[in-house]
Amino acid sequence: MIVDLLKEPWPWYVSGPLIGISVPLLLIFGNKMLGISSSLRHACAAIAPFNIQFLKYNWKSEMWNLFFVLGVFIGGFVGGVLLNNHEPVQISQETISDIKSLGINSFDGLVPSDLFNWETVFSLKGFVILVIGGFMIGFGTRYAGGCTSGHAIMGLSSLQWPSLVAVIFFFIGGLLMTHIFTPVIYSWFN
Amino acid sequence: MKNIKFLLVGILFGTVLTKTEAVSWFRIQEMFRFQSFHMYGIIGSAVVVGAISVWLIKRFNIKTIDKQEIIIPNKQFSKGQIIGGTIFGMGWALAGACPGPLYALLGAGYPVILVVILSALLGTWTYAWLNPKLPH
């Protein structure tokens, strides 16, 4: 059955091109640049602009972007609930053993439940990993002027060299965190 | 109502991100450890398809559905791509998600992600506040 096939994890050569197609779709539907992190700025401008110059602009004219991320949220429901195959993510054996060495032993969902639960969120461990991590995502993407979608996909697709610089530093940051800081941070809580 | 089409593209984008497990904390760990081609295949093929599409749009002067010229503004270089890029990369590896997956995971039934989203909003607001003082 087609639904059973859709419930299987989608291989990269199916999903990558479908993600790429969103670039021309947004352009043709109204000259819009693919970008997710801008939605965080629009939300700040809508909720708490105060007297901050960077948040003083007509966010209502960027409403399309808020509709787009609402769609991403709904898509998460379609992919993660309606098409859920209830299988663990098929990561490599090396990754599983590396993750276990961090003290994470739950491999059921899309994220480890021994980290992403309410009790942990309100502990020091959750604060360091999820709250500081989230803060760095919001601060860093806005400072860089985009995230994986705006710089890596939209920026590289339109051959913009500042986006290539951004993507290189996204990876430098990610590699530093994964290989240098992550073992130290997790060792505080084990 | 003109925004419904953007909602639909978002639904496609979110469904694909989720079903290909790009929203998974586990996949981000695997990517930054170079233990699978999966995430590189997704980003790489997305960029190839995006780049061919942009080239076709320019080559054949394709217009929007409202017959407007398609204009892609140039991104300006700033030190933010270096400093902010590194900070975001660290947050991406620490929390195991970039902004798109945060919204998708919330929809996929992980309400705890709301804490990460609110923290990201606070981070964005803090950047906005400090913007005049930061090097660019």
Side-chain angles (χ1 to χ4, degrees), chain A residues 16-66:
Chain A
L18 284 172
I19 291 168
I21 282 292
S22 60
V23 169
L25 283 179
L26 292 176
L27 287 170
I28 290 168
F29 282 167
N31 249 326
K32 306 302 185 200
M33 309 297 133
L34 173 68
I36 304 259
S37 63
S38 335
S39 64
L40 297 168
R41 180 185 181 187
H42 305 327
C44 287
I47 302 164
F50 299 125
N51 218 11
I52 296 170
Q53 204 58 37
F54 190 77
L55 299 176
K56 276 200 248 172
Y57 62 97
N58 183 17
W59 60 271
K60 284 181 188 153
S61 68
E62 303 292 328
M63 195 62 99
W64 77 272
N65 191 252
L66 298 175

Side-chain angles (χ1 to χ4, degrees), chain B residues 34-69:
Chain B
F34 302 106
Q35 288 162 338
S36 166
F37 180 70
H38 187 73
M39 290 298 300
Y40 296 99
I42 296 171
I43 299 173
S45 59
V47 170
V48 169
V49 169
I52 294 172
S53 309
V54 169
W55 182 81
L56 287 171
I57 285 171
K58 287 184 177 163
R59 173 70 181 75
F60 296 101
N61 198 17
I62 294 168
K63 303 279 196 292
T64 69
I65 50 173
D66 303 320
K67 307 273 186 293
Q68 301 275 314
E69 194 82 32

Side-chain angles (χ1 to χ4, degrees), chain A residues 16-176:
Chain A
L18 284 172
I19 291 168
I21 282 292
S22 60
V23 169
L25 283 179
L26 292 176
L27 287 170
I28 290 168
F29 282 167
N31 249 326
K32 306 302 185 200
M33 309 297 133
L34 173 68
I36 304 259
S37 63
S38 335
S39 64
L40 297 168
R41 180 185 181 187
H42 305 327
C44 287
I47 302 164
F50 299 125
N51 218 11
I52 296 170
Q53 204 58 37
F54 190 77
L55 299 176
K56 276 200 248 172
Y57 62 97
N58 183 17
W59 60 271
K60 284 181 188 153
S61 68
E62 303 292 328
M63 195 62 99
W64 77 272
N65 191 252
L66 298 175
F67 273 83
F68 179 68
V69 298
L70 176 65
V72 176
F73 165 80
I74 297 169
F77 176 76
V78 174
V81 178
L82 300 183
L83 297 175
N84 192 342
N85 67 344
H86 302 284
E87 293 284 334
V89 175
Q90 298 294 312
I91 47 171
S92 73
Q93 281 307 318
E94 302 116 280
T95 313
I96 291 176
S97 62
D98 285 356
I99 289 172
K100 280 185 177 163
S101 74
L102 298 175
I104 285 183
N105 293 299
S106 144
F107 291 84
D108 293 335
L110 289 165
V111 301
S113 57
D114 39 13
L115 184 57
F116 289 81
N117 62 66
W118 290 110
E119 200 184 331
T120 308
V121 165
F122 295 110
S123 69
L124 186 62
K125 183 182 184 180
F127 179 80
V128 172
I129 295 171
L130 302 177
V131 175
I132 295 183
F135 185 93
M136 291 170 86
I137 293 169
F139 186 93
T141 51
R142 203 70 273 118
Y143 197 177
C147 60
T148 331
S149 55
H151 274 313
I153 298 171
M154 183 68 219
L156 295 185
S157 290
S158 50
L159 311 179
Q160 314 233 16
W161 69 267
S163 289
L164 181 62
V165 174
V167 173
I168 289 170
F169 282 92
F170 294 169
F171 270 86
I172 290 175
L175 293 174
L176 282 174

Side-chain angles (χ1 to χ4, degrees), chain A residues 7 10 31 95 143 160 179, chain B residues 19-20 32 35 69 75 135:
Chain A
K7 282 185 175 180
W10 298 4
N31 249 326
T95 313
Y143 197 177
Q160 314 233 16
H179 297 277
Chain B
K19 276 318 295 174
T20 200
F32 282 128
Q35 288 162 338
E69 194 82 32
K75 296 208 194 263

